Amino acid sequence: MIPITRLAIGEEEAAAALAVIRSGWLTQGERVREFEERVATYVGAAHAIATSNCTTALHLSLIAAGVGPGDEVICPSFSFIATANSIVHAGATPVFVDIDPRTYNIDPALVEAAITPRTRAIMPVDQIGLGADIPAVLEIARRHGLRVVEDAAPSIGATVGESRLGSLSDFTCFSFHPRKSITTGEGGVITTNDDAAAERLRSIRSHGASVSDLARYQSGSTDLEEYRELGYNYRMTDIQGAIGIVQMRRLDEVLAARRHLALRYNELLADDERIETPFEPADRPHTFQSYCVRLRSTRPRQDLMNDLAARGIATRRGVMAIHLEPYYRSRYPQLSLPETERATAETLLLPLYVGMTEAEQDEVVRALQAHLGERLSD
Ligand SMILES: Cc1ncc(COP(=O)(O)O)c(C=O)c1O
């Protein structure tokens, strides 16, 4: 079986998790703090705040951005459902705009037309490892007095120009779910350069407490903490933090291995007119959290996926169109986003993981091409 992904995780992570279990301190503590420091340093942000997952990171960031009931947040529909759900969790309304069909990321040219007096924030998504045009989104946001909460869930390590994602927007949120390039099992991180917002985020991820358990324990103080505003239990455990520290050390190596495999797929598929390989803008190298092709064939994608599965090769649809999922369709019955709808119907993720062999890659390409049948150019 060639799976869609395999974890790049091993004995070092297991030992780090075991050390936490033996330490007697399991939830958010020193290991989470060290993980946060590593992420902040890596992306070039002043602060990193770890959370239970990226959905909760997005929810907290929206609150810190001042988003609440009655507000609108502009976002793409071509994303995982959590992008829009986090906006609904904050009591606001997602306003979906279409994507650039080459990058699969929000089309900044469409953002401005979607701004209304109720717009409070923009949530661009850095989809499947490729940074969105964040400078263009920030420019629009600054001109209209809006905040930018960037959903970089799949894209740790990606850059835009000279900058790493995580250093540019008001708030950037990363996921460490096992489908991402590196993982903590479940986990999220918010990065920001806003000192006051960072302090508030640290408090509301833990019920709004004025002092963290770790700080109280380390100070030896018997003073009681206060709860000044509504908060949540969105904490990460130290077991996850310890795994994350090791995974952060591996990140560059993991991204290099993924890139090597992706470029090899590009070469193998280069002159096949039935398969469009991923686009990379000149200033935004792809980190290939997923390897996503667009099928230029009239054969149904589902038949292809079934055929590959029968040959022991896992694939996935590219990315969902959130506005077509029943919960959102019932709220946006008339909404049409042509590029998003085309992209969700035509894209396919191929297996890609650290340790994938050239023979496995060749097998995927052979099976894909065999199913698609004779080439037009043959
Ligand atoms: C674009 C996007 N946003 C948000 C999320 C949610 O991340 P998490 O599973 O860590 O909550 C994901 C996860 O797949 C994602 O791909």
Side-chain angles (χ1 to χ4, degrees), residues 42-43 126-132 150 152 154-168 174 181 251-252 255 283-288:
Y42 184 87
V43 306
D126 306 300
Q127 202 49 267
I128 56 175
L130 178 67
E150 185 180 341
S155 299
I156 183 103
T159 48
V160 175
E162 298 297 303
S163 308
R164 284 232 166 92
L165 298 186
S167 63
L168 297 168
F174 297 99
S181 298
L251 177 57
D252 284 338
L255 295 182
D283 65 334
R284 279 177 274 157
H286 211 302
T287 60
F288 298 106

Side-chain angles (χ1 to χ4, degrees), residues 72-88 92-99 106-107 110-111 113-116 119 121-123 125 320-338 340-341:
E72 292 176 351
V73 178
I74 296 170
C75 67
S77 164
F78 191 72
S79 188
F80 183 57
I81 196 114
T83 303
N85 283 356
S86 69
I87 297 167
V88 176
T93 303
V95 174
F96 297 115
V97 302
D98 218 343
I99 50 166
I106 198 164
D107 184 345
L110 302 175
V111 169
I115 295 174
T116 75
T119 309
I122 306 171
M123 185 180 282
V125 179
M320 65 173 60
I322 298 175
H323 72 287
L324 300 184
E325 292 301 316
Y327 175 79
Y328 287 98
R329 186 81 267 186
S330 64
R331 284 159 179 75
Y332 303 77
Q334 307 298 336
L335 180 63
S336 157
L337 299 167
T340 298
E341 288 162 28

Side-chain angles (χ1 to χ4, degrees), residues 56-303:
T56 55
L58 290 166
H59 181 197
L60 290 188
S61 297
L62 287 164
I63 294 170
V67 172
D71 293 334
E72 292 176 351
V73 178
I74 296 170
C75 67
S77 164
F78 191 72
S79 188
F80 183 57
I81 196 114
T83 303
N85 283 356
S86 69
I87 297 167
V88 176
H89 294 160
T93 303
V95 174
F96 297 115
V97 302
D98 218 343
I99 50 166
D100 174 332
R102 293 196 304 171
T103 63
Y104 303 123
N105 285 327
I106 198 164
D107 184 345
L110 302 175
V111 169
E112 199 139 12
I115 295 174
T116 75
R118 291 168 61 188
T119 309
R120 177 63 71 117
I122 306 171
M123 185 180 282
V125 179
D126 306 300
Q127 202 49 267
I128 56 175
L130 178 67
D133 190 349
I134 299 300
V137 171
L138 283 171
E139 190 276 322
I140 295 166
R142 298 297 173 248
R143 229 170 345 98
H144 291 269
L146 306 175
R147 311 303 299 279
V148 176
V149 176
E150 185 180 341
D151 179 352
S155 299
I156 183 103
T159 48
V160 175
E162 298 297 303
S163 308
R164 284 232 166 92
L165 298 186
S167 63
L168 297 168
S169 297
D170 297 308
F171 303 95
T172 305
C173 301
F174 297 99
S175 173
F176 294 86
H177 180 273
R179 270 293 278 125
K180 305 302 185 257
S181 298
I182 57 169
T183 184
T184 55
E186 295 278 359
V189 166
I190 306 162
T191 60
T192 182
N193 291 318
D194 181 332
D195 299 346
E199 197 181 326
R200 182 168 177 222
L201 286 165
R202 290 184 200 288
S203 167
I204 56 176
R205 78 169 154 186
S206 194
H207 302 291
S210 55
V211 184
S212 74
D213 287 347
L214 182 68
R216 226 154 32 97
Y217 171 76
Q218 288 180 334
S219 72
S221 162
T222 55
D223 290 350
L224 294 178
E225 76 281 11
E226 277 184 334
Y227 298 88
R228 296 171 192 149
E229 67 171 317
L230 179 69
Y232 303 83
N233 179 356
Y234 285 172
R235 291 184 300 263
M236 176 182 269
T237 69
D238 253 18
I239 302 169
Q240 294 161 291
I243 294 170
I245 292 165
V246 183
Q247 287 274 286
M248 281 304 293
R249 281 204 295 265
R250 284 193 207 276
L251 177 57
D252 284 338
E253 186 189 312
V254 166
L255 295 182
R258 300 188 72 84
R259 185 168 181 82
H260 173 78
L261 289 163
L263 297 185
R264 188 163 183 275
Y265 265 139
N266 283 354
E267 267 171 39
L268 294 171
L269 297 169
D271 56 355
D272 191 328
E273 71 286 345
R274 301 160 309 177
I275 301 160
E276 197 177 297
T277 56
F279 172 70
E280 266 191 303
D283 65 334
R284 279 177 274 157
H286 211 302
T287 60
F288 298 106
Q289 176 264 337
S290 289
Y291 186 83
C292 180
V293 295
R294 191 184 276 249
L295 300 170
R296 296 296 189 196
S297 159
T298 50
R299 299 199 173 197
R301 181 181 60 182
Q302 198 55 43
D303 290 355

